[in-house]
């Protein structure tokens, strides 16, 4: 099960829930229908490492070369999922950590590139998790996680 909520103060701006094979998303309290690629995206986000989800579900991976990301060499890996999504991952050549992720998203206003730059990792329960970075969807949103908990303190009602 997966639940993702973006809030501003007490107001929920965006909410995604994937539980018991059902996917729902709400924007400012209004339910918005989800497409197959939305469901696949939510399932991938439930995995601590999305690449493992994609591998287990038949996605194809193609190493296309090396590009600079923030001045450092990064392997470029293009992923095509069974639902038809195309996601590009960039891995730092020196550390092997994912430093960027991007994909093109369709909206009523047209195509927009959505990218996330990962700038800092910390280890939680033996797994390195990105804790700082910038999401860019036309508007840049910085994120900084101070704590990561996996399946701690969850209740069934968190997924309704």
């Amino acid at each position: 099960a997966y639940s993702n909520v973006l809030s501003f103060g007490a107001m929920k701006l965006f909410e995604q829930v994937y539980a018991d094979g059902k996917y729902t998303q709400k924007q400012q309290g209004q339910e918005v229908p989800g497409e197959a690629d939305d469901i696949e995206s939510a399932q991938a986000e439930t995995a601590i490492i999305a690449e493992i989800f994609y591998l287990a579900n038949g996605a194809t991976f193609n190493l296309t070369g090396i590009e600079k990301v923030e001045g450092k060499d990064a392997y470029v890996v293009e992923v095509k999922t069974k639902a038809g999504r195309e996601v590009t991952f960039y891995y730092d050549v020196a550390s092997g950590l994912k430093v960027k992720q991007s994909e093109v998203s369709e909206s009523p206003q047209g195509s927009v590139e959505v990218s996330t730059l990962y700038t800092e990792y910390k280890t939680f329960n033996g797994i390195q998790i990105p804790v700082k970075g910038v999401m860019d969807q036309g508007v840049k949103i910085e994120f900084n996680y101070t704590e990561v908990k996996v399946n701690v303190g969850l209740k069934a009602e968190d997924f309704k």
Side-chain angles (χ1 to χ4, degrees):
Y2 166 80
S3 178
N4 180 29
V5 178
L6 174 63
S7 299
F8 183 73
M11 182 173 57
K12 287 184 183 177
L13 300 176
F14 181 79
E15 179 178 12
Q16 291 176 303
V17 175
Y18 179 78
D20 300 324
K22 183 180 176 198
Y23 173 80
T24 57
Q25 64 180 3
K26 294 179 182 176
Q27 291 180 356
Q28 295 182 347
Q30 300 295 315
E31 191 161 324
V32 179
E35 303 295 329
D37 60 344
D38 294 323
I39 295 167
E40 182 183 70
S41 177
Q43 288 173 315
E45 290 179 28
T46 65
I48 292 176
I49 303 169
E51 292 85 340
I52 293 173
F53 167 81
Y54 292 134
L55 280 170
N57 287 282
T60 58
F61 288 68
N62 186 26
L63 175 64
T64 62
I66 295 176
E67 292 181 15
K68 295 280 188 193
V69 175
E70 298 294 300
K72 295 181 179 180
D73 286 342
Y75 294 113
V76 181
V77 178
E78 294 176 350
V79 179
K80 183 157 184 151
T81 71
K82 288 187 109 175
R85 290 178 55 235
E86 295 181 11
V87 182
T88 304
F89 296 129
Y90 301 80
Y91 301 92
D92 182 271
V93 169
S95 71
L97 295 173
K98 182 169 45 178
V99 291
K100 184 178 175 183
Q101 175 176 331
S102 69
E103 68 181 290
V104 174
S105 179
E106 299 298 328
S107 73
Q109 293 79 24
S111 298
V112 63
E113 182 180 353
V114 177
S115 67
T116 303
L117 184 67
Y118 304 104
T119 59
E120 184 180 325
Y121 278 77
K122 285 188 181 176
T123 302
F124 298 91
N125 295 335
I127 300 170
Q128 289 200 30
I129 305 286
V131 294
K132 281 188 178 182
V134 178
M135 293 184 340
D136 187 348
Q137 302 174 339
V139 174
K140 292 184 179 185
I141 301 170
E142 290 185 26
F143 66 88
N144 182 9
Y145 300 119
T146 56
E147 185 175 27
V148 174
K149 294 181 180 180
V150 179
N151 294 336
V152 175
L154 298 175
K155 301 174 207 78
E157 57 267 14
D158 293 336
F159 299 98
K160 293 183 180 179

